[in-house]
Amino acid sequence: MIPLSIAEPLTGLAPVGLTELVERAALHTRIDRKYVVAVADLPYLLGRLPSDTRVLDIDGERSFRYESVYFDTPWLVSYHRAAYRRRRRFKVRTRTYLDSDRCWLEVKVSGARGNVTKHRLPYRPQDRTTVRPGRDFVDHALLREALHPSAGSPLDPVLVTGYRRVTLLLPAPLSRITIDTGLTWHDFTHTLRTPDLAVVETKSTAAATPVDRLLWQRGSRPVRISKYATGLAALRPDLPDAPWRRTLRWHFCAVEPAVDPTPTATPRPEPEASCA
Protein backbone atom coordinates (compact mmCIF):
# COMPACT_ATOMS: atom_id res chain seq x y z
CA MET A 1 0.00 0.00 0.00
CA ILE A 2 1.28 3.50 -0.85
CA PRO A 3 2.23 5.49 2.29
CA LEU A 4 -0.70 7.70 3.28
CA SER A 5 1.66 10.65 3.75
CA ILE A 6 2.30 10.89 -0.01
CA ALA A 7 -1.12 9.89 -1.33
CA GLU A 8 -2.56 13.41 -0.98
CA PRO A 9 0.34 15.27 -2.70
CA LEU A 10 0.11 12.84 -5.63
CA THR A 11 -3.57 13.60 -6.19
CA GLY A 12 -2.70 17.22 -6.96
CA LEU A 13 -0.43 16.35 -9.89
CA ALA A 14 -1.59 16.19 -13.49
CA PRO A 15 -1.64 12.65 -14.92
CA VAL A 16 0.42 11.21 -17.76
CA GLY A 17 -0.41 7.92 -19.46
CA LEU A 18 2.04 5.09 -19.90
CA THR A 19 2.24 5.41 -23.70
CA GLU A 20 3.08 9.11 -23.55
CA LEU A 21 5.58 8.56 -20.73
CA VAL A 22 7.43 5.91 -22.73
CA GLU A 23 7.37 7.96 -25.93
CA ARG A 24 8.68 11.10 -24.25
CA ALA A 25 11.02 9.78 -21.59
CA ALA A 26 12.04 6.17 -22.18
CA LEU A 27 15.66 7.29 -21.56
CA HIS A 28 17.20 3.88 -22.14
CA THR A 29 20.60 5.63 -22.21
CA ARG A 30 20.75 8.07 -19.31
CA ILE A 31 22.41 9.37 -16.17
CA ASP A 32 20.95 7.92 -12.96
CA ARG A 33 21.26 9.53 -9.53
CA LYS A 34 19.94 7.62 -6.51
CA TYR A 35 19.06 8.82 -3.04
CA VAL A 36 17.93 7.03 0.11
CA VAL A 37 15.47 9.23 2.01
CA ALA A 38 13.08 8.78 4.89
CA VAL A 39 9.50 8.11 3.85
CA ALA A 40 8.55 10.89 6.28
CA ASP A 41 10.46 13.40 4.08
CA LEU A 42 8.59 12.59 0.87
CA PRO A 43 5.67 15.02 1.43
CA TYR A 44 8.18 17.91 1.55
CA LEU A 45 9.68 16.81 -1.77
CA LEU A 46 6.34 16.24 -3.51
CA GLY A 47 4.95 19.53 -2.27
CA ARG A 48 7.73 21.52 -3.96
CA LEU A 49 7.81 19.95 -7.41
CA PRO A 50 7.54 22.21 -10.48
CA SER A 51 3.91 22.98 -11.36
CA ASP A 52 4.17 21.15 -14.70
CA THR A 53 5.23 17.85 -13.09
CA ARG A 54 3.02 14.94 -14.12
CA VAL A 55 2.53 11.54 -12.48
CA LEU A 56 2.04 8.20 -14.20
CA ASP A 57 -1.64 7.32 -13.92
CA ILE A 58 -3.16 4.06 -15.14
CA ASP A 59 -6.90 3.63 -14.62
CA GLY A 60 -6.80 6.02 -11.67
CA GLU A 61 -3.91 4.28 -9.92
CA ARG A 62 -0.69 6.21 -9.23
CA SER A 63 1.51 3.65 -7.50
CA PHE A 64 2.31 0.20 -8.80
CA ARG A 65 3.77 -3.03 -7.47
CA TYR A 66 7.02 -4.26 -8.98
CA GLU A 67 8.90 -7.53 -8.59
CA SER A 68 12.41 -8.08 -9.95
CA VAL A 69 14.27 -11.39 -10.06
CA TYR A 70 18.05 -11.02 -10.47
CA PHE A 71 20.19 -13.70 -12.09
CA ASP A 72 23.89 -14.37 -11.70
CA THR A 73 26.46 -17.09 -12.33
CA PRO A 74 27.42 -19.56 -9.58
CA TRP A 75 30.49 -17.34 -9.02
CA LEU A 76 28.37 -14.17 -8.88
CA VAL A 77 30.20 -12.56 -11.80
CA SER A 78 27.66 -9.74 -12.08
CA TYR A 79 27.85 -8.99 -8.36
CA HIS A 80 31.64 -9.09 -8.18
CA ARG A 81 32.10 -6.83 -11.20
CA ALA A 82 30.09 -4.24 -9.28
CA ALA A 83 31.77 -4.94 -5.93
CA TYR A 84 35.24 -4.47 -7.41
CA ARG A 85 34.13 -1.42 -9.40
CA ARG A 86 34.87 -2.76 -12.81
CA ARG A 87 34.56 -0.06 -15.45
CA ARG A 88 31.74 -1.90 -17.23
CA ARG A 89 29.14 -3.87 -15.33
CA PHE A 90 25.92 -5.70 -16.10
CA LYS A 91 22.76 -7.03 -14.48
CA VAL A 92 20.32 -9.60 -15.79
CA ARG A 93 16.83 -9.58 -14.35
CA THR A 94 13.16 -10.07 -15.03
CA ARG A 95 10.88 -7.25 -14.03
CA THR A 96 7.21 -7.97 -13.46
CA TYR A 97 4.55 -5.29 -13.16
CA LEU A 98 2.28 -7.15 -10.79
CA ASP A 99 -0.78 -4.94 -11.22
CA SER A 100 -0.90 -5.48 -14.99
CA ASP A 101 0.75 -8.92 -15.14
CA ARG A 102 3.31 -7.67 -17.65
CA CYS A 103 6.89 -8.89 -17.58
CA TRP A 104 10.20 -8.05 -19.27
CA LEU A 105 13.58 -9.74 -19.41
CA GLU A 106 16.20 -7.02 -19.06
CA VAL A 107 19.95 -6.70 -19.49
CA LYS A 108 21.19 -3.50 -17.88
CA VAL A 109 24.73 -2.34 -18.67
CA SER A 110 26.57 0.40 -16.77
CA GLY A 111 29.44 2.06 -18.59
CA ALA A 112 31.78 5.02 -18.32
CA ARG A 113 30.62 8.31 -16.74
CA GLY A 114 27.58 6.64 -15.18
CA ASN A 115 25.84 5.96 -18.51
CA VAL A 116 23.27 3.16 -18.35
CA THR A 117 21.96 1.19 -21.33
CA LYS A 118 19.03 -1.20 -21.01
CA HIS A 119 18.02 -4.00 -23.38
CA ARG A 120 14.46 -5.36 -22.91
CA LEU A 121 12.51 -8.34 -24.17
CA PRO A 122 8.79 -8.97 -23.52
CA TYR A 123 8.57 -12.06 -21.29
CA ARG A 124 5.93 -14.40 -19.94
CA PRO A 125 5.25 -13.72 -16.23
CA GLN A 126 5.23 -17.47 -15.54
CA ASP A 127 8.86 -17.62 -16.77
CA ARG A 128 10.12 -14.79 -14.58
CA THR A 129 12.27 -17.04 -12.35
CA THR A 130 14.32 -18.43 -15.24
CA VAL A 131 16.28 -16.99 -18.17
CA ARG A 132 16.12 -20.17 -20.25
CA PRO A 133 13.48 -18.94 -22.75
CA GLY A 134 15.44 -15.71 -23.23
CA ARG A 135 19.01 -16.89 -22.92
CA ASP A 136 19.84 -16.13 -26.56
CA PHE A 137 18.59 -12.57 -26.05
CA VAL A 138 20.76 -12.17 -22.93
CA ASP A 139 23.87 -13.53 -24.63
CA HIS A 140 23.34 -11.32 -27.69
CA ALA A 141 22.83 -8.18 -25.55
CA LEU A 142 25.99 -8.86 -23.54
CA LEU A 143 27.96 -9.61 -26.69
CA ARG A 144 26.83 -6.30 -28.23
CA GLU A 145 28.14 -4.52 -25.14
CA ALA A 146 31.40 -6.55 -25.18
CA LEU A 147 30.41 -8.01 -21.82
CA HIS A 148 29.73 -11.66 -21.16
CA PRO A 149 30.26 -14.23 -18.40
CA SER A 150 32.24 -17.36 -19.15
CA ALA A 151 30.85 -19.29 -22.09
CA GLY A 152 28.09 -21.63 -21.04
CA SER A 153 27.84 -20.26 -17.50
CA PRO A 154 24.39 -20.82 -16.01
CA LEU A 155 22.43 -17.80 -14.85
CA ASP A 156 20.42 -18.71 -11.77
CA PRO A 157 17.96 -16.65 -9.69
CA VAL A 158 19.86 -15.10 -6.78
CA LEU A 159 17.67 -12.34 -5.35
CA VAL A 160 14.04 -11.20 -5.54
CA THR A 161 13.12 -7.59 -4.80
CA GLY A 162 9.70 -6.05 -4.34
CA TYR A 163 8.48 -2.47 -3.93
CA ARG A 164 5.81 0.08 -4.85
CA ARG A 165 6.79 2.70 -7.42
CA VAL A 166 5.53 6.19 -8.24
CA THR A 167 6.83 7.63 -11.54
CA LEU A 168 7.00 11.34 -12.29
CA LEU A 169 7.62 13.12 -15.59
CA LEU A 170 9.41 16.48 -15.52
CA PRO A 171 9.51 18.32 -18.85
CA ALA A 172 12.41 20.73 -18.22
CA PRO A 173 14.91 19.27 -18.43
CA LEU A 174 13.17 16.15 -19.69
CA SER A 175 13.56 13.62 -16.92
CA ARG A 176 11.87 10.74 -15.19
CA ILE A 177 11.75 10.40 -11.41
CA THR A 178 10.90 7.21 -9.57
CA ILE A 179 10.04 6.89 -5.88
CA ASP A 180 10.16 3.37 -4.46
CA THR A 181 8.64 2.49 -1.09
CA GLY A 182 7.82 -0.73 0.75
CA LEU A 183 11.16 -2.23 -0.30
CA THR A 184 11.85 -5.91 0.36
CA TRP A 185 14.72 -8.21 -0.57
CA HIS A 186 14.58 -12.02 -0.50
CA ASP A 187 17.48 -14.38 -1.26
CA PHE A 188 15.42 -17.59 -0.84
CA THR A 189 16.61 -17.92 2.77
CA HIS A 190 16.30 -14.48 4.38
CA THR A 191 14.05 -11.47 3.85
CA LEU A 192 14.99 -7.84 4.46
CA ARG A 193 12.37 -5.07 4.76
CA THR A 194 12.89 -1.29 5.01
CA PRO A 195 9.42 0.22 5.55
CA ASP A 196 10.72 3.63 6.70
CA LEU A 197 13.08 4.20 3.76
CA ALA A 198 12.43 5.21 0.16
CA VAL A 199 14.74 5.14 -2.84
CA VAL A 200 14.39 8.18 -5.09
CA GLU A 201 16.02 7.94 -8.50
CA THR A 202 16.39 10.72 -11.05
CA LYS A 203 16.92 9.73 -14.67
CA SER A 204 17.96 12.30 -17.25
CA THR A 205 20.21 12.60 -20.26
CA ALA A 206 22.75 14.67 -18.31
CA ALA A 207 21.57 17.76 -16.44
CA ALA A 208 20.56 17.75 -12.79
CA THR A 209 16.78 17.79 -12.39
CA PRO A 210 14.71 20.03 -10.09
CA VAL A 211 14.28 16.99 -7.84
CA ASP A 212 18.07 16.65 -7.53
CA ARG A 213 18.29 20.28 -6.48
CA LEU A 214 15.46 19.93 -3.95
CA LEU A 215 17.21 16.94 -2.39
CA TRP A 216 20.54 18.76 -2.33
CA GLN A 217 18.89 21.67 -0.51
CA ARG A 218 17.72 19.19 2.13
CA GLY A 219 21.24 17.84 2.56
CA SER A 220 20.71 14.63 0.58
CA ARG A 221 23.41 13.57 -1.84
CA PRO A 222 23.47 10.76 -4.40
CA VAL A 223 24.49 7.45 -2.84
CA ARG A 224 25.81 4.20 -4.18
CA ILE A 225 22.92 1.81 -4.02
CA SER A 226 21.91 -1.05 -6.25
CA LYS A 227 18.77 -2.98 -5.45
CA TYR A 228 20.62 -6.13 -6.46
CA ALA A 229 24.11 -5.61 -5.11
CA THR A 230 23.35 -3.56 -2.00
CA GLY A 231 20.47 -5.86 -1.09
CA LEU A 232 22.58 -8.98 -1.53
CA ALA A 233 25.41 -7.43 0.49
CA ALA A 234 22.98 -6.60 3.31
CA LEU A 235 21.76 -10.20 3.37
CA ARG A 236 25.18 -11.81 2.89
CA PRO A 237 27.90 -10.12 4.98
CA ASP A 238 30.44 -12.62 3.65
CA LEU A 239 30.46 -10.82 0.28
CA PRO A 240 32.73 -7.84 -0.56
CA ASP A 241 30.75 -4.63 -0.12
CA ALA A 242 33.20 -1.71 -0.47
CA PRO A 243 31.13 0.40 -2.94
CA TRP A 244 28.01 0.29 -0.74
CA ARG A 245 29.57 0.14 2.73
CA ARG A 246 28.66 3.72 3.61
CA THR A 247 25.07 3.23 2.39
CA LEU A 248 24.79 -0.01 4.35
CA ARG A 249 26.08 1.61 7.53
CA TRP A 250 24.04 4.81 7.25
CA HIS A 251 20.74 3.33 6.13
CA PHE A 252 20.70 -0.42 6.80
CA CYS A 253 22.58 -0.73 10.08
CA ALA A 254 19.38 -0.89 12.15
CA VAL A 255 17.59 -3.29 9.81
CA GLU A 256 17.61 -6.96 10.75
CA PRO A 257 17.05 -9.58 8.03
CA ALA A 258 14.44 -12.16 9.01
CA VAL A 259 14.69 -15.89 8.34
CA ASP A 260 12.10 -17.06 5.84
CA PRO A 261 9.92 -19.64 7.63
CA THR A 262 9.84 -21.80 4.49
CA PRO A 263 13.26 -21.36 2.84
CA THR A 264 13.82 -22.86 -0.59
CA ALA A 265 17.59 -22.90 -0.28
CA THR A 266 20.02 -24.27 2.30
CA PRO A 267 19.83 -22.00 5.37
CA ARG A 268 22.84 -19.90 6.34
CA PRO A 269 23.66 -18.37 9.72
CA GLU A 270 21.52 -15.31 10.35
CA PRO A 271 23.30 -12.12 9.17
CA GLU A 272 23.82 -9.44 11.77
CA ALA A 273 23.52 -5.76 10.93
CA SER A 274 26.46 -3.68 12.10
CA CYS A 275 26.93 0.07 12.52
CA ALA A 276 30.63 -0.24 13.26
Side-chain angles (χ1 to χ4, degrees):
M1 181 177 180
I2 186 172
L4 293 177
S5 60
I6 69 173
E8 183 175 351
L10 288 177
T11 62
L13 298 177
V16 61
L18 180 60
T19 300
E20 183 181 354
L21 178 72
V22 171
E23 288 176 350
R24 294 190 59 190
L27 301 174
H28 291 309
T29 300
R30 65 195 187 223
I31 302 295
D32 293 353
R33 299 177 181 90
K34 300 177 183 179
Y35 306 83
V36 178
V37 302
V39 169
D41 289 339
L42 293 178
Y44 174 91
L45 177 66
L46 292 171
R48 287 160 178 80
L49 293 171
S51 59
D52 52 1
T53 300
R54 300 166 70 186
V55 60
L56 176 63
D57 185 300
I58 301 176
D59 297 328
E61 295 295 329
R62 297 192 167 193
S63 75
F64 307 94
R65 295 175 300 148
Y66 283 54
E67 179 191 87
S68 296
V69 181
Y70 290 88
F71 302 86
D72 213 332
T73 70
W75 307 277
L76 299 180
V77 168
S78 172
Y79 177 91
H80 282 95
R81 287 189 74 90
Y84 291 113
R85 302 183 184 182
R86 296 294 184 258
R87 181 172 171 270
R88 291 173 59 75
R89 304 174 299 280
F90 71 93
K91 294 175 192 168
V92 178
R93 71 185 179 199
T94 58
R95 170 163 286 177
T96 304
Y97 303 85
L98 297 175
D99 297 301
S100 60
D101 203 32
R102 293 183 301 114
C103 184
W104 297 83
L105 176 63
E106 300 182 341
V107 179
K108 190 175 180 182
V109 177
S110 301
R113 302 181 184 89
N115 289 318
V116 176
T117 302
K118 187 189 294 183
H119 305 269
R120 306 181 85 200
L121 175 74
Y123 217 55
R124 299 196 312 167
Q126 57 265 42
D127 291 331
R128 66 183 183 270
T129 60
T130 177
V131 298
R132 283 194 296 271
R135 184 60 194 258
D136 287 345
F137 165 81
V138 172
D139 290 342
H140 180 68
L142 292 175
L143 184 62
R144 284 178 56 190
E145 300 286 347
L147 269 170
H148 53 86
S150 301
S153 295
L155 288 169
D156 299 317
V158 174
L159 187 73
V160 181
T161 66
Y163 49 93
R164 272 196 173 271
R165 169 164 289 184
V166 171
T167 301
L168 306 175
L169 174 66
L170 277 67
L174 183 62
S175 52
R176 193 167 82 249
I177 313 299
T178 59
I179 302 173
D180 297 339
T181 57
L183 291 130
T184 65
W185 290 265
H186 176 50
D187 70 349
F188 305 99
T189 302
H190 300 90
T191 298
L192 180 69
R193 296 181 177 87
T194 57
D196 299 325
L197 296 178
V199 174
V200 177
E201 187 169 357
T202 66
K203 311 164 197 282
S204 65
T205 53
T209 72
V211 171
D212 290 298
R213 294 189 177 90
L214 281 169
L215 289 166
W216 297 344
Q217 291 169 9
R218 294 281 285 181
S220 295
R221 291 295 181 268
V223 299
R224 289 182 177 271
I225 184 169
S226 153
K227 286 193 180 72
Y228 173 49
T230 309
L232 198 61
L235 288 166
R236 292 186 52 177
D238 57 303
L239 293 173
D241 63 359
W244 317 286
R245 193 167 295 155
R246 178 175 294 185
T247 301
L248 289 165
R249 289 178 176 175
W250 284 11
H251 301 292
F252 290 81
C253 65
V255 180
E256 292 287 345
V259 178
D260 191 304
T262 56
T264 57
T266 303
R268 296 187 304 274
E270 178 71 9
E272 295 180 359
S274 172
C275 295

